[in-house]
Amino acid sequence: MMQNQEIEAKISDLLIKINKRLQHPYLMRYIEKPIIDEDKLLLTYIILNEKGLSEEELDNYAMSTMLVQVALDTHERITSQDLSSDEGRKNRQLTVLAGDYYSSLYYFLLSELKDLSMIRALAQAIQEINENKMQFYMNDNQSIENSMENLHRIESTLLLKTADYFHLPLWKGIADEFFFMKRMLHERSHVINNTYTPLTAKIMHHLNRSKGNWLSLKNQILDIIDSYILHSKGRLEKLWSQEPVMHTVLERRLEQYIKHSGFRMKKYAEEG
């Protein structure tokens, strides 16, 4: 079993390799530097490490998965803001191209492994994530439950497909709840900081309230988000009891997000 220090060293090495793949001098002059979700890289590595792959295979599978994630995250940054200027239009066009470029890199890596099945699995993940993004961002009238289900799929489908491909069903549940809970904790931080997000808008629409009543709505919105956080935390604890190996590093990261968000387990324990 790998120690936490070994895992952290390997993740640092993979980050360097992925960033090297992402470098494109022209794109870097005009668009934001791509951000790699280190938690998703960590969990991808943990999943792959259970399969006894060679170092080259593990690296290529991990990098391929994360290049897809970077491509998805890059495309999500595309907005219609500042399209009146040449610079704004150019930035948007290059962001689209950058996302496509990053996505093409995973094809190249997996083609080196001659793994067409994994290429199909990741392509299916991209399709499902994009479908859920469309439902989440374009459907103003959907229920909170459906919105939360969309966020589950948006945040974890890539890891779910990877775990499914390598026949590791337990890690599917862990990935699903971990990344949904992480998203909810970030959403909670936005509410605490009075930042308006698409999820906030959906909850307000469900409550039939307007942005003008934001301060009076704040506690209601937090209660709804906190109920989902609490449910995910309970599910994670059950799943981790079945997979004691390697989960402590994930718990430590999650505790950092909990602390930053202001979520207090003690409050809910007292109320319960």
Side-chain angles (χ1 to χ4, degrees):
M1 180 176 65
M2 293 185 72
Q3 300 299 314
N4 288 347
Q5 288 183 334
E6 293 179 273
I7 297 170
E8 290 171 1
K10 185 59 185 179
I11 296 304
S12 295
D13 179 59
L14 282 169
L15 282 169
I16 292 170
K17 290 180 178 178
I18 295 168
N19 275 310
K20 186 176 180 181
R21 295 272 181 177
L22 292 171
Q23 293 306 308
H24 190 291
Y26 183 76
L27 290 174
M28 293 302 99
R29 285 171 55 192
Y30 295 101
I31 66 170
E32 296 178 32
K33 180 181 177 181
I35 297 172
I36 301 169
D37 188 325
E38 292 188 30
D39 292 322
K40 289 183 179 175
L41 175 59
L42 171 64
L43 194 47
T44 299
Y45 177 77
I46 291 173
I47 290 170
L48 295 172
N49 193 57
E50 290 202 9
K51 297 307 294 184
L53 302 170
S54 69
E55 184 175 356
E56 181 183 6
E57 288 175 324
L58 195 155
D59 284 2
N60 280 354
Y61 280 123
M63 286 192 291
S64 297
T65 303
M66 292 313 301
L67 287 168
V68 172
Q69 185 63 59
V70 170
L72 289 164
D73 292 342
T74 300
H75 278 151
E76 190 152 355
R77 292 207 303 264
I78 298 167
T79 68
S80 58
Q81 297 176 358
D82 193 29
L83 292 183
S84 60
S85 69
D86 290 340
E87 183 179 352
R89 287 191 293 272
K90 183 174 185 177
N91 181 271
R92 188 178 191 278
Q93 290 167 353
L94 287 175
T95 302
V96 172
L97 290 173
D100 293 342
Y101 170 67
Y102 301 148
S103 185
S104 71
L105 293 176
Y106 95 85
Y107 282 99
F108 175 73
L109 284 174
L110 290 178
S111 67
E112 289 187 328
L113 293 173
K114 297 181 173 58
D115 195 338
L116 298 179
S117 296
M118 185 61 169
I119 290 175
R120 284 193 292 269
L122 293 180
Q124 187 178 6
I126 293 169
Q127 179 182 343
E128 291 183 17
I129 290 168
N130 285 332
E131 287 172 353
N132 278 277
K133 284 182 178 180
M134 287 291 291
Q135 292 171 19
F136 179 75
Y137 290 110
M138 304 302 291
N139 187 354
D140 294 333
N141 296 317
Q142 71 178 165
S143 66
I144 292 176
E145 291 77 12
N146 286 341
S147 295
M148 295 300 186
E149 183 59 29
N150 288 151
L151 290 179
H152 265 286
R153 301 286 72 79
I154 290 167
E155 295 298 330
S156 63
T157 292
L158 201 58
L159 276 295
L160 267 59
K161 291 294 183 184
T162 301
D164 200 30
Y165 181 78
F166 288 101
H167 309 293
L168 296 167
L170 180 57
W171 282 108
K172 290 174 64 177
I174 292 173
D176 188 22
E177 294 300 339
F178 180 91
F179 289 107
F180 176 73
M181 186 173 172
K182 178 182 173 181
R183 174 65 179 260
M184 289 298 100
L185 289 167
H186 281 308
E187 291 285 346
R188 191 182 203 283
S189 297
H190 283 306
V191 176
I192 292 293
N193 293 321
N194 302 316
T195 305
Y196 200 64
T197 70
L199 179 62
T200 303
K202 286 178 176 290
I203 294 174
M204 290 174 67
H205 180 79
H206 175 77
L207 296 172
N208 196 27
R209 302 285 293 278
S210 68
K211 189 176 179 180
N213 298 315
W214 169 254
L215 291 179
S216 65
L217 271 171
K218 199 169 181 177
N219 288 334
Q220 287 179 271
I221 295 170
L222 287 173
D223 283 343
I224 290 171
I225 291 174
D226 287 354
S227 69
Y228 282 93
I229 292 172
L230 198 63
H231 181 262
S232 280
K233 186 164 177 59
R235 284 210 64 206
L236 269 176
E237 287 170 353
K238 290 180 181 178
L239 290 164
W240 277 336
S241 68
Q242 301 171 55
E243 179 54 79
V245 178
M246 307 275 274
H247 76 72
T248 53
V249 65
L250 295 173
E251 282 186 299
R252 190 165 63 245
R253 285 176 179 255
L254 206 53
E255 287 302 321
Q256 292 173 352
Y257 297 130
I258 289 172
K259 182 178 180 180
H260 180 73
S261 75
F263 179 79
R264 293 190 299 120
M265 284 298 299
K266 183 179 179 182
K267 169 190 171 185
Y268 288 93
E270 291 170 350
E271 290 178 355

